[in-house]
Amino acid sequence: MGKIIDSPGGDKKSPQFIYSSYWIPTKESGEKTNSIKIESSLNQPFEELGDRTPFEDAIIHKNANGLLRLFPYLKKTPLFQEYRRRLPLNGDEFIYKSVYSKTGGVLNLFNPEIREDMDEELKTLLAKYGAKKKAIEIWRVTPSELWSDPTPQLVWAGGGEEEMRLLEDFLTKLTERFDGERFESRGEMLISTINFLRHWQCIPNRVCRGKRPIDAIRKERERIYKRKITFLQEMGIKTDFA
Amino acid sequence: MAKIKRDYGITLNEENYQAIILEELDSPPSLLDYFREYMKKGEITLEWGCLMFLLIKADIEGDVQTVERNYKSLKKYPANYFIEFVMAELELQYYGNIFKAKDKLFKALELKSDDGTCYHNLGLIYSLLGAFNKALEHYEKAILYSRNSIEPSGLKASSLYDMAVIKINIEQNYSTAKRFLKETLKENPDYDLARETLRKLRWER
């Protein structure tokens, strides 16, 4: 059980470093919390980047300089490599396999790392259609149990500002509920926290203007997906996700 | 064998080990039938009997290391539903490895496809995974095969209750949820949580 999270701020007007402290059940989910925040921040448009997102800026300039302009203090921190790794600085980002490097966001906070060999849906479709292109076309829009039901293309798109705020809301409530709680086993701890997450995702939340987090997260990811695909088309970049 | 004699006061031998395993399982008829068929194939030995005995005891006592050690040793014998089921429980409840638990439960169902408890546990796993439609499918199968469990009525009641929770939280389908809750109480009138949930839903349509 860890409690400390260092996270980059998501305020597009004044990027800053936010320090927060939460109860998080495992080291892996603590690390994932950071990765989710990083993933989401790369999808947010910033004035300093001409209203482009760091994701788009990295594709246009083929480097991470835009990100460093936004967060100059990052360069000297270990987080910079994690940011860099998540920027689309090579073609790997655009092939279907890249989905397995994504976090899946707050809905998947407690899930383990997902590997292609765990993807039974894809295996079944590949066996059924033979043609990889056809199989991937169906797979990318099929809700997946590997990522708590969102489709692979929404997992690939990543979250945005609203999901970041929802993550903070969830972590606050998680901490209020479980900080100081004792568990008999890691399994009991994870089952309790996942059940708490599944309950939270269905309760209307003022953070997303009274919508259920699950619906708000999907909606925002759909917007991000459309923006990414439109941008890639403008740039003449092909992807398995379109 | 010495450990079994020392710790449990039982002497396992070629003549009695199969009967003792059936006794120790303390299970519904369908599982005992499965074991009888399994043992009839003649690919097991007294060593298998000792390992299985210790695994059953370790499972009851919550001795994780012994369960894992005996599970590994039993892998050299033909695949067995029960040991996969026990390991699935351990992966889920002790380690919280949801995907590993799911794989083991599917393996268990490949070996014995009519096990209501297995389907119920898959329902729980799919709920944890946020794949609620799949959870509902598996709870329905748990009800269908509940007669093969130790407590058919208990399994039916908890599956119905879990389905009602999904109907409330995910689908906001309160009328179906109420129906499931009433059926839960028919199976188990002492299911307080179901009664309380039904009371809370009384104004919902």
Side-chain angles (χ1 to χ4, degrees), chain B:
Chain B
M1 270 190 289
K3 182 179 164 49
I4 294 172
K5 172 96 177 127
R6 189 184 64 234
D7 293 352
Y8 304 103
I10 293 173
T11 307
L12 248 60
N13 59 41
E14 290 289 351
E15 283 70 44
N16 68 6
Y17 79 89
Q18 296 194 8
I20 287 177
I21 291 298
L22 292 175
E23 246 172 64
E24 289 299 326
L25 280 167
D26 183 28
S27 292
S30 111
L31 183 62
L32 297 180
D33 288 345
Y34 170 83
F35 261 82
R36 280 189 200 100
E37 280 299 310
Y38 179 87
M39 292 191 287
K40 219 194 277 175
K41 287 175 190 154
E43 294 172 61
I44 53 164
T45 62
L46 177 58
E47 186 211 28
W48 174 89
C50 293
L51 292 169
M52 186 59 85
F53 182 94
L54 289 170
L55 183 132
I56 294 167
K57 288 291 188 193
D59 180 40
I60 294 165
E61 291 158 11
D63 177 352
V64 174
Q65 280 78 25
T66 306
V67 168
E68 286 176 325
R69 199 173 49 244
N70 286 288
Y71 171 79
K72 276 183 199 154
S73 304
L74 283 163
K75 289 299 263 184
K76 68 179 171 190
Y77 293 96
N80 180 289
Y81 150 82
F82 179 74
I83 66 168
E84 299 301 332
F85 180 82
V86 167
M87 271 308 282
E89 288 260 284
L90 192 123
E91 289 290 0
L92 181 65
Q93 305 289 346
Y94 186 74
Y95 290 114
N97 290 333
I98 300 178
F99 289 100
K100 283 187 184 169
K102 178 169 75 78
D103 290 347
K104 296 238 178 293
L105 285 173
F106 274 115
K107 182 124 197 245
L109 282 174
E110 273 172 29
L111 299 161
K112 185 177 183 301
S113 60
D114 62 354
D115 191 87
T117 312
C118 239
Y119 284 114
H120 180 262
N121 290 359
L122 277 167
L124 288 175
I125 283 177
Y126 279 121
S127 286
L128 290 171
L129 290 175
F132 297 105
N133 286 335
K134 286 189 180 173
L136 285 173
E137 275 173 37
H138 285 84
Y139 286 135
E140 277 169 17
K141 285 189 179 167
I143 293 168
L144 187 66
Y145 294 113
S146 57
R147 65 182 182 282
N148 297 329
S149 69
I150 291 185
E151 284 181 81
S153 209
L155 184 66
K156 234 176 171 174
S158 62
S159 300
L160 283 161
Y161 178 76
D162 292 337
M163 287 167 77
V165 170
I166 292 177
K167 292 289 170 189
I168 295 166
N169 288 342
I170 309 301
E171 300 177 10
Q172 284 102 50
N173 183 344
Y174 302 116
S175 58
T176 307
K178 281 184 198 174
R179 184 163 57 79
F180 286 155
L181 290 168
K182 283 174 190 163
E183 286 176 35
T184 305
L185 289 166
K186 220 183 272 175
E187 291 297 330
N188 178 5
D190 297 329
Y191 209 124
D192 292 339
L193 213 47
R195 193 173 301 284
E196 178 60 16
T197 311
L198 191 58
R199 197 188 62 78
K200 282 183 188 162
L201 284 185
R202 67 191 181 284
W203 305 119
E204 301 285 356
R205 290 283 172 272

Side-chain angles (χ1 to χ4, degrees), chain A residues 145-159:
Chain A
E145 68 196 46
L146 294 177
W147 293 288
S148 308
D149 238 20
T151 61
Q153 72 181 26
L154 293 188
V155 173
W156 169 78

Side-chain angles (χ1 to χ4, degrees), chain A residues 44-60:
Chain A
Q44 293 173 42
F46 287 92
E47 276 175 22
E48 291 88 335
L49 301 178
D51 273 335
R52 288 286 183 198
T53 66
F55 174 91
E56 293 160 355
D57 187 80
I59 290 175
I60 293 168

